[in-house]
Amino acid sequence: MNCFTCGSNRMIETTTIYVEKLENGILIVKNVPCRKCSQCGEEFFSMAIMKEIEKLSRQAESFISEVMIIDYNKAA
């Protein structure tokens, strides 16, 4: 896989922190698996990971107050 931003083929498997502003607060999901470009730092999520994040976001939206931190490894 090449980086969509810079075209580099130096992608590494790692984890990252995903942050999303929801209607009622901010959702922070830590330890999210991703591929990261070692040249420009751009991060990419697989479709399966994005679907899981969307599910977590929908669930969090119903009861988030200000800031919610979720560990992906425990929630997905």
Side-chain angles (χ1 to χ4, degrees):
M1 172 181 175
N2 287 349
C3 176
F4 297 121
T5 303
C6 72
S8 170
N9 65 352
R10 295 184 299 179
M11 304 294 286
I12 56 171
E13 297 285 334
T14 188
T15 60
T16 190
I17 296 173
Y18 178 87
V19 179
E20 182 177 355
K21 183 182 180 311
L22 303 175
E23 188 174 320
N24 298 322
I26 298 171
L27 173 65
I28 300 169
V29 185
K30 60 184 186 174
N31 297 317
V32 180
C34 71
R35 298 190 85 177
K36 184 174 185 174
C37 177
S38 61
Q39 182 168 309
C40 72
E42 190 69 32
E43 297 171 337
F44 301 92
F45 302 102
S46 70
M47 186 61 70
I49 298 295
M50 283 308 302
K51 286 182 180 182
E52 191 63 39
I53 290 173
E54 288 173 7
K55 183 176 111 181
L56 293 171
S57 293
R58 284 192 306 274
Q59 292 171 345
E61 187 67 65
S62 63
F63 56 86
I64 194 171
S65 59
E66 296 254 348
V67 175
M68 175 178 268
I69 301 173
I70 298 173
D71 187 328
Y72 184 90
N73 293 328
K74 296 177 182 174

